[in-house]
Amino acid sequence: NHLSSAMAVLSRLLARVRWNPACRSFSQLRPADDAMLEIAARTAPAWRELLQKAQADPETEPVQRVVGKVRRATIIEEAGGQMARAIGRRKESVAMVTIKRAPAGALGNVTVNSRPHTDYFPWPLSTVAVSPFLLTDTSARYDAHVMVKGGGKSGQAQAMRHGIATALQGLDLSLRPKLKHADMLTRDPRVKERKKPGKPKARKSEAWVKR
């Protein structure tokens, strides 16, 4: 759309000229040489025109607005309603979770790295990952989009569980007691202990031989 085209033009412009943090307009950009000045002069009007089209276009994507934070969950308001974003962690894994109400008449959909969670995680990790929904009986009410990175599948599933539980309590605080009692809101601090000098692992030692 117009807005994405305008952003592409701006990124090309800023990549080709030297950006001065004190600048307030394109006229104050200091070009690296005459060639860069020509590029800036040719690109800036196109950027302004596309930006004006994007602002006047009624089909421009709806703007999201951060409403506030509730118990480490960020509440965001958009045209379709509210959604919650939260981060879950476990060992070396980090899960960025976004949940929002499912459309009317549709069952909840959970995707992990743009794949269905049942395809991404093997059983029983696929059940562990969505256990906050199962515990609170809200699996049909919410859609969840998750991006995970780092660690292995087990750590990623538990990080996703932590993130979903945190985001759920952000949208509905009445679910907090049940999630807290199940210990899903606490970040598990256990991590692999570092190897020690002179030993093959953190605690393991070589077999002791008397002679």
Side-chain angles (χ1 to χ4, degrees), residues 101-109 139-143:
R101 281 201 171 273
L107 295 176
N109 184 33
S139 54
R141 287 165 51 190
Y142 295 105
D143 288 339

Side-chain angles (χ1 to χ4, degrees), residues 96-119:
M96 289 157 280
V97 180
T98 303
I99 65 172
K100 59 183 178 181
R101 281 201 171 273
L107 295 176
N109 184 33
V110 180
T111 58
V112 182
N113 292 353
S114 303
R115 292 167 54 187
H117 77 285
T118 50
D119 290 349

